[in-house]
Amino acid sequence: MSDRDLKPPQVVEAFDEAGRPAKGLESKGLPVVVDFLGAKLQHRVRSGVDSELVVKVFGVKKSERKDPEKNLICDFTAGLGVDSFLLANAGFKVIGFERDPLVFALLEDGLMRFLGVPGLQNSSAGIDLQFRNQDVALADDEARTEFLSTLPHRPFAVYLDPMYEESSVKSKSLPKKEMAVLREVLKPSSDKELQNLLTTALWLAEARVVVKRPMGAPPLEGARQPAHRYEGKTACFDVYTCRSGSSSAR
């Protein structure tokens, strides 16, 4: 069978880890669902999200995460929503953006199933998490100003995990099946799109921008270099501080 005989990626009826009906994204016979109640992800939540590096790099103490000036994070590249979910469980208010409508459909389905489980005895049942279908690689300040007007207020931080770009085949640390499907669905971000993402993030964020990168990958190209890099076991995080340098752009 040639590649031309294969069906294009599509949303299909599937089942999550517990056998509940779910929307799945299928490509080449591989279905993927967003399952916020899956055993592996729930184990990470129960083990304590404060120990997750993706939470630590935002530099906000647990006691301060209810402060409206420090608790809003915009995830510009939601993907399958794992990092957004972890940040929301850490006490942040998270708005995740996903430009691909098929992946967004999975995010919506996964969140609705998670919130709709009757009698869920889990602190994460009250998380403040939402997803929006929007491309936020904005090219000018007028578009950025309009985008800001759709938010409750200027976010404390912006998170980017571009997964992979045209100039690199390196990817984020997703399981093999999920990556195989997403590579079929998501077009790689061009260098220009990545620059617009980073520029928009730096323009928008009140305090910092965090960019997840594969181990050994250079920082995203742009006018600024990150102030810090934190390395984990499978990925690293570049942190850009915004408080002093971006006020003039607003």
Side-chain angles (χ1 to χ4, degrees):
M1 180 181 292
S2 69
D3 288 343
R4 287 177 295 181
D5 295 326
L6 296 172
K7 292 182 179 179
Q10 57 186 318
V11 173
V12 299
E13 292 299 317
F15 297 92
D16 63 18
E17 193 173 287
R20 293 176 291 262
K23 287 183 179 179
L25 187 62
E26 186 178 67
S27 175
K28 296 183 179 179
L30 296 173
V32 167
V33 301
V34 170
D35 185 10
F36 294 128
L37 286 165
K40 290 183 179 179
L41 186 53
Q42 282 299 308
H43 175 72
R44 293 174 70 178
V45 171
R46 289 192 297 269
S47 298
V49 287
D50 287 335
S51 64
E52 296 276 348
L53 188 55
V54 71
V55 174
K56 291 180 178 180
V57 294
F58 286 92
V60 180
K61 296 178 181 179
K62 186 175 182 179
S63 60
E64 299 176 333
R65 291 175 198 159
K66 291 185 178 180
D67 182 347
E69 295 185 357
K70 294 184 177 181
N71 75 347
L72 178 58
I73 294 177
C74 288
D75 181 352
F76 273 10
T77 49
L80 295 180
V82 172
D83 288 340
S84 285
F85 185 75
L86 292 173
L87 289 168
N89 272 278
F92 292 103
K93 175 184 175 67
V94 181
I95 304 176
F97 298 88
E98 173 53 50
R99 69 181 180 180
D100 186 272
L102 297 183
V103 177
F104 175 71
L106 267 62
L107 287 169
E108 272 198 319
D109 175 68
L111 186 58
M112 285 191 295
R113 282 185 292 106
F114 171 76
L115 296 176
V117 174
L120 180 64
Q121 299 300 313
N122 191 311
S123 61
S124 58
I127 64 172
D128 198 340
L129 174 63
Q130 63 173 280
F131 295 110
R132 300 182 186 181
N133 182 201
Q134 184 173 349
D135 188 346
V136 286
L138 306 175
D140 57 70
D141 286 355
E142 182 178 354
R144 293 167 189 141
T145 300
E146 182 177 351
F147 171 66
L148 175 58
S149 70
T150 69
L151 301 176
H153 54 82
R154 187 177 294 279
F156 171 79
V158 175
Y159 180 62
L160 300 176
D161 180 2
M163 190 167 69
Y164 65 101
E165 50 261 27
E166 285 181 341
S167 57
S168 173
V169 296
K170 293 184 178 181
S171 61
K172 63 172 141 182
S173 52
L174 282 175
K176 187 175 181 179
K177 181 177 74 169
E178 281 82 347
M179 180 52 62
V181 172
L182 287 184
R183 280 191 178 278
E184 287 294 308
V185 174
L186 302 179
K187 68 174 184 178
S189 297
S190 68
D191 291 341
K192 184 62 176 177
E193 287 172 327
L194 290 174
Q195 289 172 12
N196 286 339
L197 270 178
L198 181 57
T199 300
T200 299
L202 292 168
W203 183 94
L204 186 69
E206 185 66 43
R208 62 178 56 191
V209 171
V210 174
V211 182
K212 188 176 184 180
R213 301 293 286 154
M215 290 297 292
L220 291 182
E221 292 187 10
R224 295 178 55 188
Q225 289 295 302
H228 307 284
R229 169 167 281 199
Y230 297 90
E231 294 189 352
K233 294 181 180 179
T234 58
C236 56
F237 297 86
D238 290 335
V239 176
Y240 299 77
T241 54
C242 307
R243 192 181 304 278
S244 60
S246 58
S247 59
S248 61
R250 301 171 185 174

